[in-house]
């Protein structure tokens, strides 16, 4: 797999990380065509499934598409709402609708996970390790282990790593109230799957996602925070199987907070990802070992988690979306990945939620607005054109009960069972269009063009390579492409366009001896997906 990027990528001294040098992250000069336009190759448009989106509250239908599976090189954890709608009829259905793993909170007790004491002799989970995920929220550390630091990062300098052997029995704090205990007890997870290794216990989850969200901290406490995060992830990994991958929603190398701005492309890596562990005035007495010295959280993380939670303005087709500071669903989705690809080579897994996150932005006080159809479908397509590894598909609701009356409490209207979940159908439809028909291209030999995708908006006279922010501010169609051998797969859309609007864009790929040109016609905000064989005769 190759990621093509623009600009000069340089080393961040002493950290082992790389970033895009700000003065090189500029608009790519236009290339003017010399001579006549070469012959074009038409794309074969990818089929759409014909279905009527559900209008029932608290319900969605997974049978709007046929069976398909995710390529082995990708992963999507289901931590969404409403698995109970389908699990009694067919427990494996989500695995034939693009999801490859399930969070423990959505697992079937007694079949996929054992939660009541010790399992019966010989019992084993029906899930493979790669199909198991768990999210560790701050409550896990705070409530079960008394670590107030999980909620209040300023407690970092008071937090115990582990009880040190040289402490007298009377002076020792409660062994359980340590970060070591919270991190190492995860090894017992294997009991719930019936597959503890011989001679000891190791967590056998495929993915462990940390979601403490306590990363903001005063500058004077940063070293304490970096030490704790580094120790936490190392201890979790030490108590997990070699197949377990560990990462966190934060720190992320750069968080664009749902925007795609020019300055985002000039970002340096977030300090908490790169700061090496060092002993402080009290850390050694609190049990910090020397074996993490010089190491950072980013050194131990198996993946990074840059992602985009949307606010209502991202879904508002009547709002302006072309200013540098304007919100734009697709510029944010692509831009977050483009920026963080430059900052670290680590695999990327994004959190995705199909409803607006709560914020102070207009109409965003409650998570009541679903992603419109083409935005939900586009999330299931365009994200994968960035070279990302996976998704954590999340929702704040676990089970769904369809057709319930709206709550009397106005604060609960539009939430949970009172939502329309047809957005799930559109999202799965996007996954189906991409992976049912083009899964063969995601075999590790593909090249993701990203910002190197070259397009013309004047009939082939002038050619540009734009990043997501530039596509937004120039108000032109978004186009991204994947190349694998002589195959090229292209996604395109004119975001926020009305149904009666049409757009046209040309795309070309001139590399490795190919000279491929094509024209894409768009209607409204449709998500176009097309594929072509690049003729060997063009070499």
């Amino acid at each position: 797999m190759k990621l093509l990027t623009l600009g000069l990528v340089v080393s961040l001294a002493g950290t082992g990380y790389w970033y895009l040098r700000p003065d090189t992250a500029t608009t790519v000069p236009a290339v003017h065509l010399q001579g006549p336009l070469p012959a074009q190759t038409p794309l074969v448009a990818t089929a759409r499934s014909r279905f009527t989106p559900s209008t029932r509250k608290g319900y969605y239908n997974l049978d709007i598409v046929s069976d398909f599976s995710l390529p082995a090189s990708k992963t999507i954890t289901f931590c969404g709402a409403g698995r109970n709608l389908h699990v009694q009829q067919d427990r494996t259905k989500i695995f034939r609708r693009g999801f490859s793993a399930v969070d423990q909170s959505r697992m079937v007790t007694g079949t996929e996970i054992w939660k009541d004491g010790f399992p019966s002799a010989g019992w084993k989970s029906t899930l493979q390790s790669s199909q198991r995920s768990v999210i560790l929220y701050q409550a896990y550390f705070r409530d079960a282990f008394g670590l107030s630091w999980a909620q209040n990062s300023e407690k970092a300098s008071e937090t115990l790593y582990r009880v040190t052997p040289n402490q007298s029995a009377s002076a020792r704090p409660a062994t359980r109230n340590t970060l070591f205990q919270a991190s190492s007890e995860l090894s017992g997870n294997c009991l719930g799957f019936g597959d503890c290794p011989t001679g000891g216990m190791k967590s056998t989850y495929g993915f462990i996602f940390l979601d403490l969200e306590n990363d903001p901290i005063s500058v004077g406490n940063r070293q304490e925070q970096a030490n704790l995060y580094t120790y936490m992830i190392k201890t979790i990994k030490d108590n997990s199987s070699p197949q377990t991958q560990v990462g966190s929603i934060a720190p992320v190398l750069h968080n664009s907070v749902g925007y795609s701005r020019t300055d985002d492309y000039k970002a340096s890596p977030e300090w908490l990802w790169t700061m090496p562990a060092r002993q402080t005035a009290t850390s050694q007495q609190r049990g910090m070992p020397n074996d993490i010295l010089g190491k950072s959280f980013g050194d131990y993380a198996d993946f990074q988690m840059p992602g985009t939670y949307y606010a209502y303005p991202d879904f508002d087709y009547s709002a302006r979306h072309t200013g540098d500071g304007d919100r734009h669903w697709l510029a944010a989705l692509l831009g977050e990945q483009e920026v963080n690809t430059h900052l670290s080579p680590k695999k990327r897994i994004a959190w995705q939620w199909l409803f607006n996150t709560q914020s102070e932005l207009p109409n965003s006080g409650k998570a009541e607005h679903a992603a419109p159809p083409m935005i939900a479908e586009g999330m299931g397509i365009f994200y994968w054109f960035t070279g990302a590894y996976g998704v954590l598909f999340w929702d704040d609701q676990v089970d769904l009960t369809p057709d319930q009356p709206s709550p009397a409490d106005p604060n609960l209207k539009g939430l949970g069972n009172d939502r329309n979940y047809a957005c799930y159908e559109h999202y799965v439809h996007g996954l189906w269009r991409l992976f049912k028909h083009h899964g063969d291209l995601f075999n590790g030999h593909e090249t993701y063009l990203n910002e190197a995708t070259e397009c013309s908006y004047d009939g082939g006279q002038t050619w540009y390579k734009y990043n997501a922010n530039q596509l937004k501010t120039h108000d032109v169609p978004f186009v991204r492409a994947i190349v694998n051998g002589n195959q090229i797969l292209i996604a395109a859309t004119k975001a926020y366009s009305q149904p009666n609007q049409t757009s046209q864009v040309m795309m070309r790929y001139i590399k490795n001896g190919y000279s491929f040109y094509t024209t894409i016609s768009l209607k409204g905000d449709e998500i176009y997906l097309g594929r072509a064989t690049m003729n060997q005769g063009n070499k």
Side-chain angles (χ1 to χ4, degrees):
M1 180 184 78
K2 298 178 181 178
L3 301 173
L4 296 190
T5 59
L6 300 175
L8 179 61
V9 181
V10 298
S11 174
L12 187 65
T15 68
Y17 294 97
W18 300 76
Y19 72 101
L20 185 67
R21 207 176 79 191
D23 58 317
T24 68
T26 56
T27 302
V28 177
V31 176
H32 298 280
L33 183 70
Q34 302 295 321
L37 193 67
Q40 297 190 49
T41 303
L43 295 169
V44 177
T46 304
R48 303 185 66 85
S49 176
R50 295 186 179 276
F51 66 95
T52 301
S54 174
T55 58
R56 298 171 63 188
K57 290 182 179 180
Y59 179 80
Y60 59 91
N61 180 13
L62 286 179
D63 290 327
I64 53 99
V65 296
S66 57
D67 289 357
F68 71 103
S69 59
L70 206 62
S73 60
K74 305 297 181 183
T75 179
I76 304 179
T77 288
F78 182 88
C79 191
R83 190 184 180 204
N84 64 297
L85 298 173
H86 318 95
V87 74
Q88 296 301 323
Q89 294 78 25
D90 187 348
R91 182 191 63 81
T92 65
K93 178 165 285 189
I94 61 169
F95 301 115
R96 302 196 312 279
R97 293 299 183 270
F99 300 97
S100 58
V102 61
D103 180 74
Q104 62 88 20
S105 63
R106 275 68 168 170
M107 290 180 186
V108 179
T109 301
T111 301
E112 297 175 341
I113 189 171
W114 195 279
K115 293 184 177 180
D116 187 15
F118 291 96
S120 307
W123 180 88
K124 190 173 181 180
S125 170
T126 56
L127 298 175
Q128 300 298 314
S129 176
S130 62
Q131 295 177 304
R132 310 169 192 163
S133 299
V134 63
I135 303 172
L136 300 180
Y137 299 101
Q138 63 175 227
Y140 168 80
F141 297 89
R142 181 195 64 211
D143 299 344
F145 299 92
L147 298 173
S148 57
W149 159 79
Q151 185 173 12
N152 180 2
S153 59
E154 297 299 342
K155 299 281 188 179
S157 60
E158 305 170 15
T159 301
L160 299 175
Y161 292 85
R162 66 181 303 173
V163 175
T164 56
N166 58 357
Q167 287 179 296
S168 64
S170 60
R172 288 184 185 182
T175 303
R176 187 167 178 79
N177 303 131
T178 66
L179 190 54
F180 172 81
Q181 203 66 26
S183 303
S184 62
E185 279 195 17
L186 294 168
S187 62
N189 294 155
C190 60
L191 292 171
F193 298 113
D195 61 355
C196 290
T198 303
M201 293 191 295
K202 295 278 187 180
S203 175
T204 52
Y205 277 107
F207 300 92
I208 296 177
F209 300 105
L210 299 170
D211 186 17
L212 276 72
E213 300 187 45
N214 71 338
D215 44 309
I217 196 168
S218 59
V219 173
N221 260 334
R222 281 187 173 185
Q223 188 62 63
E224 300 282 7
Q225 185 81 329
N227 291 348
L228 289 170
Y229 263 77
T230 302
Y231 179 76
M232 174 176 60
I233 193 168
K234 180 185 184 300
T235 306
I236 291 173
K237 289 177 66 65
D238 286 346
N239 289 276
S240 301
S241 72
Q243 292 75 38
T244 302
Q245 299 185 63
V246 187
S248 178
I249 191 172
V252 65
L253 284 105
H254 178 69
N255 186 351
S256 301
V257 200
Y259 293 89
S260 175
R261 294 162 291 205
T262 302
D263 285 348
D264 290 320
Y265 288 84
K266 302 175 183 178
S268 297
E270 168 72 13
W271 65 270
L272 188 53
W273 181 275
T274 60
M275 181 177 279
R278 294 187 177 89
Q279 296 288 4
T280 66
T282 64
S283 59
Q284 198 159 25
Q285 292 93 313
R286 289 181 285 120
M288 177 178 145
N290 287 325
D291 62 357
I292 64 171
L293 294 179
K295 297 290 188 179
S296 69
F297 176 88
D299 288 328
Y300 291 111
D302 293 298
F303 52 85
Q304 51 171 318
M305 298 195 72
T308 302
Y309 272 179
Y310 292 120
Y312 175 75
D314 295 289
F315 302 158
D316 185 359
Y317 277 51
S318 66
R320 193 184 76 156
H321 299 282
T322 56
D324 186 61
D326 291 340
R327 296 186 70 91
H328 187 294
W329 79 266
L330 187 49
L333 182 145
L334 296 178
E336 194 79 8
Q337 302 305 314
E338 290 171 358
V339 168
N340 283 281
T341 295
H342 293 304
L343 295 178
S344 171
K346 296 272 185 174
K347 294 184 290 188
R348 287 168 284 118
I349 299 178
W351 291 61
Q352 289 187 340
W353 188 17
L354 296 185
F355 291 86
N356 69 280
T357 191
Q358 301 93 323
S359 76
E360 296 179 356
L361 291 169
N363 295 320
S364 300
K366 294 192 299 181
E368 59 183 326
H369 302 288
M374 288 302 104
I375 294 181
E377 181 181 322
M379 289 170 67
I381 293 178
F382 268 97
Y383 172 75
W384 300 100
F385 276 73
T386 68
Y389 170 56
V391 162
L392 175 52
F393 184 82
W394 187 86
D395 202 290
D396 61 359
Q397 185 80 3
V398 180
D399 290 338
L400 289 175
T401 304
D403 309 320
Q404 296 299 294
S406 290
D409 185 346
N411 294 319
L412 299 179
K413 287 185 181 293
L415 303 180
N417 292 320
D418 204 38
R419 292 175 178 144
N420 182 305
Y421 273 87
C423 54
Y424 276 40
E425 299 169 356
H426 294 293
Y427 181 84
V428 169
H429 182 224
L431 296 178
W432 175 84
R433 293 186 68 206
L434 181 62
F435 293 119
K436 171 79 171 184
H437 302 87
H438 308 293
D440 60 306
L441 298 183
F442 298 87
N443 60 5
H445 300 292
E446 70 273 20
T447 297
Y448 299 89
L449 300 192
N450 289 308
E451 305 102 305
T453 305
E454 193 170 16
C455 293
S456 173
Y457 310 100
D458 59 6
Q461 297 307 302
T462 314
W463 294 86
Y464 300 89
K465 298 177 182 178
Y466 282 152
N467 63 35
N469 169 266
Q470 293 161 344
L471 289 167
K472 175 182 75 169
T473 57
H474 286 84
D475 193 21
V476 293
F478 280 67
V479 180
R480 286 294 179 257
I482 300 170
V483 172
N484 191 329
N486 66 353
Q487 297 296 298
I488 186 166
L489 181 66
I490 299 173
T493 189
K494 183 64 171 67
Y496 301 108
S497 287
Q498 297 301 312
N500 61 346
Q501 292 180 282
T502 58
S503 309
Q504 195 170 79
V505 58
M506 292 188 68
M507 184 271 175
R508 71 179 183 182
Y509 179 72
I510 308 175
K511 195 174 178 67
N512 297 326
Y514 289 106
S515 182
F516 172 83
Y517 286 74
T518 196
T519 296
I520 304 165
S521 296
L522 301 170
K523 183 178 181 181
D525 65 336
E526 69 169 345
I527 307 298
Y528 179 85
L529 188 63
R531 179 169 173 172
T533 299
M534 296 186 290
N535 196 321
Q536 292 289 332
N538 290 339
K539 278 192 168 184

